[in-house]
């Protein structure tokens, strides 16, 4: 874990309906329906229509009511500062069906899809706490392992694809490379990294 100010309080929680607004503050502060609601890997257009009447926000709210909420929010001193989309790979349809990011074995892993640090809070150690909280959430639900599919850039990464994370970021959080994929982000191959909780 990175060093924080001596009295900094960190906590991470699954994004349930009660804290949905905190999730929205991180991922979509202006509440634009066409902006990202972190649904692309989980729901197709028909599902968004069925769950949310066509509203992406309403569809995401519905996902937060499920047994396994679709991710976690990290707070620093009570302020929501980070979001991590995580869940059982089998419950993330686009990933489960991917021909580019295939399973390396039969372990029923949980997968990290997206990591976002709220604007104004980047480069302040949020990611380490966010990933640790995501792994602990998965472990509390019985996950035997957690995987991520980051890239390994030589320098700064294109911010539009930064949500996949970097190898160094996940290595600092205790993940190890166990394979590669046929997927790319910012023209870089995506790795398969795993951590046992």
């Amino acid at each position: 874990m990175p060093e924080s100010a001596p009295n900094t309080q960190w906590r991470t929680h699954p994004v349930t309906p009660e804290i949905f607004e905190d999730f929205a503050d991180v991922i979509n502060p202006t509440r634009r329906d066409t902006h990202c609601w972190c649904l692309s890997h989980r729901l197709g257009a028909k599902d968004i229509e069925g769950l949310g009447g066509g509203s992406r926000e309403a569809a995401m709210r519905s996902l937060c009511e499920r047994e396994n909420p679709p991710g976690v929010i990290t707070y620093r001193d009570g302020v929501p500062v980070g979001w991590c989309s995580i869940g059982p790979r089998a419950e993330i349809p686009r990933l489960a069906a991917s021909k580019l990011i295939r399973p390396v074995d039969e372990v029923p892993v949980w997968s990290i899809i997206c990591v976002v640090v709220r604007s104004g809070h980047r480069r302040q150690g949020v990611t380490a706490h966010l990933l640790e909280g995501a792994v602990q959430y998965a472990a509390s639900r019985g996950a035997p392992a957690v995987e991520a599919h980051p890239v390994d850039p030589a320098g700064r990464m294109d911010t539009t694809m930064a949500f996949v994370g970097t190898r160094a970021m996940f290595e600092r959080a205790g993940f190890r490379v166990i394979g590669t994929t046929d997927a790319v982000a910012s023209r870089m191959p995506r790795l398969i990294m795993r951590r046992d909780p």
Side-chain angles (χ1 to χ4, degrees):
M1 288 284 189
E3 289 187 21
S4 303
N7 298 318
T8 301
Q9 297 289 318
W10 295 91
R11 58 189 176 88
T12 300
H13 296 288
V15 63
T16 57
E18 295 76 23
I19 61 169
F20 185 87
E21 293 302 322
D22 293 343
F23 156 75
D25 284 345
V26 173
I27 197 90
N28 190 349
T30 60
R31 308 302 197 268
R32 288 182 299 160
D33 198 55
T34 55
H35 187 73
C36 179
W37 285 99
C38 215
L39 291 173
S40 63
H41 282 76
R42 295 178 183 273
L43 299 177
K46 287 183 180 178
D47 296 316
I48 291 171
E49 184 62 41
L51 279 176
S55 164
R56 296 165 62 77
E57 177 180 353
M60 186 59 169
R61 284 182 184 274
S62 293
L63 288 183
C64 294
E65 296 172 357
R66 293 185 173 177
E67 181 182 354
N68 292 320
V72 295
I73 296 290
T74 289
Y75 296 80
R76 178 172 55 192
D77 295 331
V79 176
V81 293
W83 156 251
C84 179
S85 176
I86 183 173
R89 179 185 171 106
E91 293 180 14
I92 304 173
R94 188 169 162 195
L95 183 58
S98 178
K99 302 285 194 262
L100 300 177
I101 302 177
R102 294 180 294 277
V104 295
D105 53 31
E106 300 298 316
V107 176
V109 298
W110 279 45
S111 297
I112 291 175
I113 299 299
C114 176
V115 177
V116 175
V117 175
R118 188 177 185 177
S119 180
H121 298 271
R122 294 173 187 143
R123 298 182 171 275
Q124 297 174 35
V126 173
T127 304
H129 295 278
L130 179 58
L131 293 178
E132 186 62 31
V135 169
Q136 295 310 314
Y137 162 57
S140 76
R141 301 298 174 103
V146 176
E147 284 186 356
H149 308 103
V151 294
D152 189 11
R156 292 295 302 259
M157 198 170 159
D158 174 1
T159 55
T160 61
M161 294 304 293
F163 71 91
V164 304
T166 65
R167 176 179 179 161
M169 179 178 92
F170 281 98
E171 283 180 338
R172 286 192 297 272
F175 287 71
R176 68 191 189 285
V177 176
I178 63 166
T180 58
T181 75
D182 292 325
V184 297
S186 296
R187 297 193 203 105
M188 291 177 283
R190 294 179 67 178
L191 305 170
I192 301 173
M193 297 188 71
R194 181 179 288 181
R195 176 174 154 181
D196 302 322

